[in-house]
Amino acid sequence: MRRSTRKTWVAVAGAASVALLATACGGGSDDAAGDEGSDGQITLTISTFNQFGYEDLLKQYEEENPNIKIEHNKFGKSDDAKEQFQTALGAGSGLADVVGVEVDWLPQMIQYSDQFTDLSSDSVDGRWNKWTTDQATTPGGELLGYPTDIGPEAIAYRADLFAAAGLPTDREAVAELFGGDDATWDDFFAVGDQFMAAGTGPAFFDSADALAQGMINQVEVPFEDPDSGEIIALDNPEIRDIYDTILSHEDQSAGLKQWETDWTNAFQSNGFAVALAPAWFLGNIEGNSAGVEGWDIANVFPGGGGNWGGSFLAVPTMSKHPEEAKALADWLTAPEQQLAAFAVNGNFPSQIEAQQSDELQGMTREFFNDAPTGQIYTDRAAAISVAPFKGENYFTIRTGLSDAFNRVDVDKSMTPDESWKGFEDAVAAIG
């Protein structure tokens, strides 16, 4: 199947709302922000989404660099940030001096490599694991983004809801319940059967599509052939097996769509007992569960390990102060700052030095029953064995598959077979 082109993405971006561009790019390089003031002070803009944990760090940077003022444009959801990102690229203006980029955007971003500063240098060489930087490196060797964090996955669970269902509550016992070092997805759903059989009310897990992401993260080549670019998603038996397996356990799902209001509210209403938990997700659980007790983290994951997400900081060439922007991105992704972000929101460091630090190993998280999060996520990072190939159509195909899951799990508007046909149509529409 023919691959989509850079031209296609520009057209999509250009069709996006002008109003969105005008509002969402607040602080962009073409605004007054980014100009040098009469006192010589430079204003840098940075855009992020969800929880990067940068609020205090940006204040610290301003204090240490009095010639720099920083304006932070924070999007609530990555989808909103990506829409503005695409729109600004299509327009050729409106990106911040430093842009937070989700890992799934990188295949498309590399098509626009001429619009981003090459961040490679001797000072950052060897900072990260190669598999991390490979994702943001062009075929010509240009590094388009500094990795901020990676997303090793564990299982977060409500110990109080497990107790009500007669299941173990201690985090080590829960890890064994899920299969320990040999945990499988069959083990995961078997625990779900035990939980649901107790009939205590809450669902076992939050979202079918969230489970799908956890499973896709373990597939080396999910959607596109790395060599030819051919879309193979519909012919890949691993993808259809993930779809069928999860939806055959729909009775365990709360039927929620992640990041929507009903999903957020469910944290306050005992809506579900378990969620796949990449490290960066801890801040979301804690933020949505204010006043709720019982969350804990088990050092286990079905299939061994998996990496969900992770982000990068890029510097667009449209920045009026690329050197200062590069310096800010460098500082924010240095080991000390990555450890500070982990302490605030759980964003697991991408830097090797930070990952190996004693400070990280000693970190705990009070909200999660004082779980040793530093040690747990270090172990989960070591278990990662697959970095899925993501071609230029990854985001579009993944969105089509999400829609297929949600039509069954959330909307209840189609049977699994009917909704798979919709996924086939979505893939065919890529061209």
Side-chain angles (χ1 to χ4, degrees):
M1 192 171 289
R2 183 169 59 85
R3 305 169 75 178
S4 65
T5 65
R6 168 186 170 129
K7 183 177 180 180
T8 303
W9 202 39
V10 171
V12 171
S17 163
V18 173
L20 174 67
L21 174 63
T23 56
C25 69
S29 297
D30 286 356
D31 299 339
D35 292 337
E36 185 174 341
S38 57
D39 57 356
Q41 188 180 60
I42 290 172
T43 299
L44 293 178
T45 56
I46 179 171
S47 64
T48 64
F49 49 87
N50 294 341
Q51 303 292 338
F52 275 58
Y54 283 172
E55 283 73 12
D56 289 342
L57 290 174
L58 294 177
K59 293 178 183 175
Q60 179 183 341
Y61 193 81
E62 287 181 322
E63 291 172 359
E64 295 178 2
N65 299 273
N67 63 319
I68 302 290
K69 177 184 177 184
I70 300 172
E71 294 185 356
H72 187 190
N73 183 29
K74 183 178 176 182
F75 292 87
K77 297 189 294 185
S78 65
D79 285 352
D80 295 338
K82 190 187 185 216
E83 187 172 359
Q84 191 273 329
F85 181 74
Q86 289 178 312
T87 302
L89 275 183
S93 65
L95 288 176
D97 296 296
V98 179
V99 182
V101 178
E102 193 172 44
V103 63
D104 290 350
W105 312 356
L106 293 174
Q108 292 174 311
M109 180 179 159
I110 286 175
Q111 298 177 66
Y112 293 83
S113 59
D114 59 338
Q115 295 199 37
F116 294 92
T117 301
D118 179 10
L119 302 178
S120 59
S121 71
D122 291 342
S123 66
V124 299
D125 190 34
R127 268 188 173 184
W128 298 277
N129 292 306
K130 185 174 182 299
W131 70 266
T132 310
T133 51
D134 279 352
Q135 299 172 102
T137 302
T138 69
E142 298 167 307
L143 180 63
L144 303 186
Y146 289 152
T148 62
D149 66 297
I150 61 174
E153 297 176 88
I155 293 179
Y157 67 99
R158 284 278 300 273
D160 55 328
L161 300 184
F162 268 41
L167 298 178
T169 59
D170 176 80
R171 68 175 69 96
E172 286 78 15
V174 170
E176 289 302 315
L177 178 68
F178 279 108
D181 292 340
D182 300 317
T184 67
W185 287 102
D186 286 342
D187 294 328
F188 179 87
F189 291 117
V191 175
D193 284 338
Q194 293 180 58
F195 182 87
M196 297 305 294
T200 55
F204 181 55
F205 61 82
D206 57 340
S207 159
D209 189 51
L211 259 61
Q213 188 61 58
M215 298 173 84
I216 290 169
N217 292 336
Q218 297 174 326
V219 179
E220 191 168 357
V221 182
F223 298 146
E224 297 165 275
D225 185 294
D227 297 323
S228 67
E230 180 183 4
I231 295 177
I232 61 170
L234 299 177
D235 302 319
N236 188 342
E238 291 181 277
I239 298 303
R240 185 60 197 246
D241 184 60
I242 288 171
Y243 183 80
D244 291 338
T245 297
I246 294 174
L247 292 181
S248 69
H249 296 92
E250 189 189 348
D251 60 310
Q252 298 181 13
S253 174
L256 300 168
K257 184 177 181 180
Q258 281 196 318
W259 317 115
E260 298 297 323
T261 301
D262 287 348
W263 174 79
T264 301
N265 292 340
F267 284 87
Q268 292 287 334
S269 59
N270 297 338
F272 51 88
V274 160
L276 304 188
W280 51 263
F281 194 59
L282 301 187
N284 297 92
I285 293 176
E286 187 169 345
N288 293 335
S289 304
V292 176
E293 298 181 354
W295 280 105
D296 207 326
I297 306 166
N299 189 354
V300 65
F301 196 74
N307 181 71
W308 183 344
S311 298
F312 295 73
L313 295 180
V315 177
T317 54
M318 66 181 72
S319 170
K320 293 181 178 178
H321 303 289
E323 290 304 316
E324 290 83 358
K326 182 178 178 180
L328 174 59
D330 185 329
W331 185 83
L332 285 170
T333 55
E336 297 81 2
Q337 282 63 253
Q338 290 205 342
L339 288 170
F342 180 73
V344 172
N345 283 323
N347 298 345
F348 191 79
S350 60
Q351 287 249 11
I352 295 172
E353 181 179 334
Q355 292 175 1
Q356 296 175 344
S357 72
D358 292 339
E359 182 179 354
L360 178 68
Q361 302 309 311
M363 286 187 176
T364 61
R365 191 129 181 160
E366 182 179 3
F367 180 81
F368 293 91
N369 192 26
D370 291 320
T373 49
Q375 183 61 59
I376 288 174
Y377 281 101
T378 297
D379 291 346
R380 302 320 321 153
I384 297 171
S385 60
V386 173
F389 171 75
K390 297 179 181 180
E392 63 188 63
N393 295 300
Y394 177 88
F395 196 89
T396 303
I397 298 169
R398 181 67 187 93
T399 299
L401 187 58
S402 292
D403 293 342
F405 274 106
N406 290 332
R407 285 190 292 265
V408 179
D409 182 49
V410 180
D411 303 338
K412 317 291 186 188
S413 60
M414 289 186 181
T415 67
D417 285 342
E418 289 171 343
S419 197
W420 180 264
K421 179 62 172 59
F423 176 51
E424 292 176 338
D425 293 342
V427 172
I430 295 173

